[in-house]
Amino acid sequence: MQQRSDFCGHNTISNVSSIAALSIDDRPWISFHKGPTMLVLIKSIKSVTPVFVGTVLGALGVALPGPARHLLASAGAVRPNLSGHLTLAARVQHILGIQPGDASYLPSVAKLVKVVAPYVFQPHPRHAIYAALAQRSADIRQLVAALNAGANPNALRTKILQSVNLEGRYVPLKGKHWRYGILGDRMWIAAYIQNHALELMRAGNAVQAAHYARASLLLRCQESPAMGWYYPLLYYVHTGAERLRVKEAGPLMRKIQMIPASLAITVAQQQDLNGLFRTASLRGGKRFRRLYNSLDIAANVVGRTGRPFDRKIVGNYLKILQQSISAAPSIHWRYEILVNTMVALRRLNLSGHRGTSEKIEAVFQQWTARVKANETMEPVAKEALLRWLKEALPP
C-alpha cells in the first residue's frame, strides 16, 4: 500500500495552516502570512487576560450545573510545577489536573484513523468524516475516557518521533506497519472530539463537554514535533481567540470563543495555559523566524543548478545554517532545518557542487557529535534527531 505523507517539511501535502483550521471547520478561515515551510506566526502577544470559565459560560447563556461547578473547583486544586524539560502534552496534562497513568488510547487512535483516512484528501471532507466517526462512538468514548482517566501524555508523540522520516513518511521500527495514520487523519479526530464538546456544552452537559475538550487538546499537543507548541494551543487560550485575524465573524467566531470555555478550567489553570502559549510564541519568536526565513532563502540560492558560487554566498549560507542550528528552540524546528537543508544538499549534489555540499555535511557532522555528547536531551527526541541527521547526509 502506498504510504501517505503529510508531516511538516518541503514534501508536505497538507500544510500547518489547513491542519490548524481543522479545529473548527474544513475551511482555511484564518488569514496568515505564509513562510517557506511553516506559517509565520502572529507577530506578538502583548498581554494575556485570564478568563473565568463560569463568567464566560454565563455570557454565552450556558448554565453551569452542580457537577460542573464541582469540576471547576477540584480541577485547580494543585498548581502545576512546570519546571524541567517536560513535553507540551505533559505540561498540559498537569495543568488540567489529570494524573499521568497507563490508560490505553493508542488502539482507539489506530481504529479511528482507518475510518478517517478514505476521506481526508477529498474536497471539503468534513461532513463525510464526521458522519463516519459518529458511527464509531464507542471508540471515541474509549479514547476520551482513557485520556481523562490518566494516560501516558507522550505515547502517541513517542511513536511519531520513532517513526517519521525527513520526507514526512512513517517508517516504524522492526518492520511493523504504521497504525496511526497521518497528521491530517489524527487532527480530524481531534476536531471531531472538540466539535462534540461544543455540542455537549450547548446541550447543557458541561462536565462531559470538558472531558471531550480536554481529550482533544491532549491529542493535539502530541503533534508538537510537526506543529510546534503554538498551533495545538491556539484555540484554547483567551488571547489566541481574541487576536486571530479571521475572515468571517458571526456564528463561526462565537464558536471559536467557546473553545477555551469548553475545557471548564479555573482562572489559575487558564493563566497557566496562556503562559504556555506565550512561551510558544517566544520559542518560535520573531528573531528565530527571521533567521529561519533567511536560511530558506539562502538554501534556494545555493540549491540552484548550473551556476558557480563565490565564497561569500557559501560562507553566508553556512553562517546562517550554524546560527539556525544553535538557535532552534525545539525538536520541531530542528526537523524543519534538516528538511530544508536536505533539499539543498540534494540539489547541490545533482548539479555537481560537491565542494559546497561537503561544507554543509561537515556542519551536520559537528551537529551530530554535539547531539551525541548531550546527556540532558530527551532520549526519544535525541534518537529521532540523530536518525534524521544520518538521513540528511548523502550515503
Side-chain angles (χ1 to χ4, degrees), residues 114-150:
K114 290 182 179 179
V115 176
V116 170
Y119 306 104
V120 166
F121 295 120
Q122 292 183 4
H124 306 292
R126 182 177 185 269
H127 178 75
I129 288 174
Y130 279 21
L133 288 174
Q135 301 299 313
R136 303 301 294 265
S137 57
D139 291 321
I140 293 287
R141 286 196 301 270
Q142 185 176 10
L143 176 59
V144 170
L147 288 167
N148 279 274

Side-chain angles (χ1 to χ4, degrees), residues 232-255:
L233 297 172
L234 183 60
Y235 301 100
Y236 295 90
V237 294
H238 183 51
T239 301
E242 277 188 341
R243 294 180 183 270
L244 286 176
R245 298 175 180 178
V246 296
K247 292 182 177 178
E248 49 189 305
L252 181 58
M253 192 60 198
R254 287 195 293 272
K255 196 174 184 181

